[in-house]
């Protein structure tokens, strides 16, 4: 049995909102740590809340890493903005739509080939000379008809 879907709207109950924030925040930090460790990539996060005077930073205690990451991002953005990929929800849906359309085209092609076969398996074993001889035979039959 799965979990119930949570509607994507702000939580009005402050206590429930704080609890949800803490659990999801911990989950995000855990995922960032796993991503950095398993894939050997640099991951930085800044988390702002109205309750905190200073933002929460990942990796914790290493402000220099965060500043270096921001500098690399800024430099890359200025020199080569096309190289930075921002993957948005619309990008996700566009990719998903493209995959579904490709799958649909493959299935339509498979159905068409099943309905109207265009190649006979026995032709695979023919040599070039054999195929030419077969073509001449077909032409003769067309002429006879």
């Amino acid at each position: 049995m799965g979990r119930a879907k949570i509607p994507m709207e702000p939580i009005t109950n402050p206590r429930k909102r704080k609890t949800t924030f803490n659990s999801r925040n911990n989950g995000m930090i855990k995922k960032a740590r796993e991503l950095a460790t398993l894939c050997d990539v640099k991951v930085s996060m800044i988390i702002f809340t109205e309750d905190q005077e200073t933002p929460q930073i990942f990796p914790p205690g290493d402000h220099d890493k965060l500043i270096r990451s921001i500098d690399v991002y800024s430099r890359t953005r200025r020199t080569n903005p096309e190289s930075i990929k921002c993957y948005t929800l619309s990008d996700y849906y566009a990719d998903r739509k493209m995959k579904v359309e490709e799958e649909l085209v493959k299935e339509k092609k498979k159905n068409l080939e099943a309905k109207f076969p265009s190649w006979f398996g026995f032709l695979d074993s023919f040599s070039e000379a054999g195929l030419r001889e077969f073509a001449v035979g077909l032409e003769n039959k067309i002429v006879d008809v």
Side-chain angles (χ1 to χ4, degrees):
M1 198 161 143
R3 277 195 255 177
K5 282 254 187 210
I6 299 173
M8 283 295 128
E9 56 189 36
I11 299 171
T12 54
N13 183 340
R15 187 173 179 174
K16 189 174 179 183
R17 183 187 312 165
K18 181 97 171 144
T19 304
T20 303
F21 171 78
N22 287 333
S23 66
R24 293 205 176 217
N25 185 36
N26 292 336
M28 289 286 293
I29 290 172
K30 180 181 176 187
K31 291 292 182 186
R33 188 177 294 115
E34 289 172 359
L35 179 65
T37 303
L38 296 174
C39 300
D40 193 27
V41 294
K42 296 175 184 167
V43 178
S44 298
M45 286 192 323
I46 304 171
I47 301 170
F48 290 103
T49 63
E50 295 175 7
D51 302 342
Q52 298 171 326
E53 290 180 18
T54 59
Q56 185 177 357
I57 295 172
F58 177 84
D62 198 352
H63 301 303
D64 294 334
K65 258 188 186 178
L66 176 67
I67 291 170
R68 281 194 301 271
S69 295
I70 292 172
D71 286 343
V72 167
Y73 171 77
S74 298
R75 217 174 312 116
T76 305
R77 190 166 174 230
R78 275 191 306 256
T79 57
N80 191 7
E82 298 86 31
S83 68
I84 296 173
K85 173 67 175 146
C86 295
Y87 197 74
T88 63
L89 192 58
S90 61
D91 294 329
Y92 169 78
Y93 284 122
D95 286 351
R96 190 75 186 118
K97 180 182 175 193
M98 189 173 67
K99 287 179 184 175
V100 168
E101 286 174 350
E102 288 172 358
E103 195 175 310
L104 183 65
V105 166
K106 285 180 186 176
E107 291 299 320
K108 282 183 178 180
K109 185 177 179 183
K110 198 188 312 181
N111 285 344
L112 192 62
E113 287 175 355
K115 200 172 190 180
F116 306 107
S118 60
W119 188 258
F120 302 102
F122 69 88
L123 295 176
D124 290 338
S125 62
F126 278 25
S127 65
E128 181 182 347
L131 287 173
R132 289 184 189 278
E133 196 174 303
F134 182 72
V136 168
L138 286 178
E139 286 176 9
N140 290 338
K141 288 185 180 191
I142 290 173
V143 169
D144 289 344
V145 169

